Amino acid sequence: SINDNNPVKNWDEKRQQWLKSHPNLGGASDSKRPRILLVTGSQSSACANPVGDHLLLRLFKNKVDYCRLHGIEIFYNNVLLHPKMFGFWAKYPVVKAAMLAHPEVEWIWWVDSDAVFTDMEFKLPLERYDKHNLVVHGWSHAIYEEKSWTGLNAGVLLIRNCQWSMDLIDEWARMGPQSPDYEKWGRTQKLVFKDKLYPESDDQSGLIYLLLKDKKKWGDKIYLEGDYNLEGYWLGMVGGLDNITKGYEEIERRVAVLRRRHAEKVSEFYGEKREEYLKDVIRRPFVIHFTGCEPCTGDHNPVYTWEACWNGMQRALNFADNQVLRGFGFAHPDLLDSSRVSPLPFDFPRIG
Ligand code: UDP
Ligand code: MN
């Protein structure tokens, strides 16, 4: 596993003790909402793709914007905490270390560098996950019946800061490249998951394997979120963003009409109305994940072009940025034009 010589033990008790001795930092004591630390990262060296570092900066800016708007702390890691756990395996030692470094947070939220927040308003429905320790975007029929390696996505995970999570990560990481059984696990995964693309053991197949093998031990505490896009595959999503923008603009027009008619009413009224109007439009996806685009290396999946990835990322990033910029009074009129903005005249605080 990641650190066989020094596994974390009794973390729940140790964390409770720490919380008691630091009452001002305690998760539940000073706020009703459990604390979250968003963790993301990238490789330590410059990207091989000439625009890779530029994209990583924009992808990071997007996460910082979301976190600022929601009072979430963020940690960016760009070193391999285990020298052999590269690529998507790199996140496990980081997530584990983040739990130790931040006993005050209840949840660690790993978000891949290539995932974009495309709804700056949406909040995680944490109450829903009270009885669970890990939340991933997934579909139980695709896991248990189809046995597909894409039955869930491991690029965005919400994982509780507890001993169960430490144990899960240790068991999960046994399938990683630092393990003497790495090649064996690759063969096993390829046999179990007929649609798996490559022979090397990967973390996503690894988690599904654990679910299939020991549903009681792991599955009961893993929430497969399918109600909203905890992450969503970019290819089918980026084309719809212009339409979604139109829907939301229509709502803003309707709210503005109300504002003129009822100038004396308090702003919550508009918030309520806006929520009501939103039922009529296609909602923004929460997170769009550019799986397979590999913005940093440029080694994208050959079934689509780099141009498709690039344009998709521009659209998603500018779509998200528009939600941030409008509060400042500006917007990108063209989602494909990242440098141009137009002013939006207004003199009242924006709702949503
Ligand atoms: N990553 C990292 N350090 C590395 C390489 C990758 O932290 O040295 C992270 C990065 O956030 C990246 C994630 O691991 O987004 C998973 O890789 P990727 O997104 O390329 O996989 P995909 O989603 O395309 O399967
Ligand atoms: Mn990814």
Side-chain angles (χ1 to χ4, degrees):
S1 81
I2 301 175
N3 40 7
D4 272 330
N5 305 324
N6 190 21
V8 178
K9 289 197 184 113
N10 303 319
W11 178 239
D12 296 336
E13 292 77 11
K14 290 174 187 164
R15 192 180 158 226
Q16 278 315 316
Q17 264 172 17
W18 188 95
L19 288 173
K20 266 189 211 140
S21 56
H22 298 78
N24 297 334
L25 290 172
S29 62
D30 62 334
S31 102
K32 274 176 227 95
R33 219 174 141 75
R35 290 188 187 212
I36 302 174
L37 175 70
L38 190 145
V39 181
T40 181
S42 57
Q43 64 182 46
S44 52
S45 51
C47 293
N49 183 6
V51 290
D53 287 295
H54 163 72
L55 284 168
L56 286 183
L57 177 64
R58 292 203 67 196
L59 291 159
F60 183 51
K61 172 200 160 17
N62 168 265
K63 294 176 182 71
V64 170
D65 278 331
Y66 180 84
C67 286
R68 174 175 48 81
L69 292 167
H70 293 272
I72 293 176
E73 301 277 337
I74 186 165
F75 174 63
Y76 199 99
N77 173 68
N78 70 335
V79 282
L80 293 184
L81 297 188
H82 187 298
K84 288 186 183 156
M85 294 183 87
F86 56 85
F88 39 68
W89 288 103
K91 61 179 169 267
Y92 300 102
V94 182
V95 166
K96 222 176 146 180
M99 288 185 187
L100 291 170
H102 286 274
E104 82 283 8
V105 305
E106 182 63 20
W107 293 101
I108 301 288
W109 190 5
W110 171 268
V111 183
D112 267 11
S113 60
D114 60 348
V116 180
F117 285 100
T118 42
D119 189 348
M120 290 287 169
E121 288 181 80
F122 190 85
K123 282 183 175 18
L124 289 172
L126 290 179
E127 332 73 57
R128 202 182 281 183
Y129 312 135
D130 268 354
K131 297 199 164 52
H132 293 84
N133 293 335
L134 173 66
V135 186
V136 287
H137 194 211
W139 304 267
S140 93
H141 70 96
I143 294 172
Y144 298 107
E145 277 131 62
E146 292 162 33
K147 297 191 172 43
S148 164
W149 81 300
T150 56
L152 60 80
N153 186 279
V156 175
L157 3 127
L158 188 66
I159 185 162
R160 192 183 294 280
N161 190 352
C162 67
Q163 183 65 41
W164 180 96
S165 303
M166 300 277 183
D167 295 342
L168 171 72
I169 290 176
D170 282 349
E171 179 129 343
W172 194 351
R174 275 183 230 285
M175 301 181 215
Q178 84 295 358
S179 154
D181 300 328
Y182 181 53
E183 272 152 42
K184 188 205 87 182
W185 278 115
R187 287 192 296 274
T188 305
Q189 290 179 0
K190 200 84 175 75
L191 278 175
V192 176
F193 307 108
K194 307 287 181 231
D195 60 347
K196 182 171 151 65
L197 284 181
Y198 44 84
E200 294 83 24
S201 165
D202 72 275
D203 62 330
Q204 188 165 294
S205 302
L207 181 58
I208 303 175
Y209 183 87
L210 291 180
L211 282 174
L212 293 175
K213 199 187 78 175
D214 205 340
K215 194 177 178 195
K216 195 98 215 90
K217 183 169 180 195
W218 305 117
D220 285 356
K221 291 283 171 197
I222 300 178
Y223 193 104
L224 296 173
E225 183 57 88
D227 277 1
Y228 64 92
N229 285 295
L230 181 62
E231 65 81 57
Y233 184 49
W234 67 279
L235 205 50
M237 299 176 92
V238 289
L241 295 179
D242 280 320
N243 241 338
I244 295 175
T245 301
K246 285 199 190 95
Y248 275 73
E249 278 171 359
E250 177 54 27
I251 304 279
E252 297 318 323
R253 272 191 289 276
R254 290 167 72 182
V255 173
V257 169
L258 282 181
R259 199 191 299 278
R260 281 194 296 275
R261 279 201 203 133
H262 310 275
E264 75 287 356
K265 295 263 178 63
V266 288
S267 66
E268 286 98 272
F269 168 75
Y270 303 110
E272 267 168 40
K273 276 288 178 200
R274 187 170 173 278
E275 278 303 312
E276 194 186 307
Y277 294 157
L278 278 172
K279 296 197 177 102
D280 304 340
V281 300
I282 307 169
R283 297 300 287 255
R284 297 164 180 149
F286 183 33
V287 173
I288 298 184
H289 184 188
F290 289 84
T291 310
C293 277
E294 303 299 329
C296 181
T297 61
D299 261 341
H300 63 90
N301 186 325
V303 303
Y304 35 75
T305 60
W306 169 250
E307 204 185 10
C309 281
W310 168 264
N311 286 341
M313 281 184 269
Q314 299 309 305
R315 277 185 195 285
L317 287 166
N318 291 330
F319 178 79
D321 205 29
N322 273 350
Q323 296 164 46
V324 175
L325 282 174
R326 69 191 304 278
F328 292 75
F330 293 87
H332 295 278
D334 177 355
L335 293 183
L336 281 175
D337 188 343
S338 297
S339 22
R340 195 160 59 90
V341 290
S342 313
L344 302 168
F346 68 93
D347 61 357
F348 45 84
R350 292 282 178 181
I351 308 162

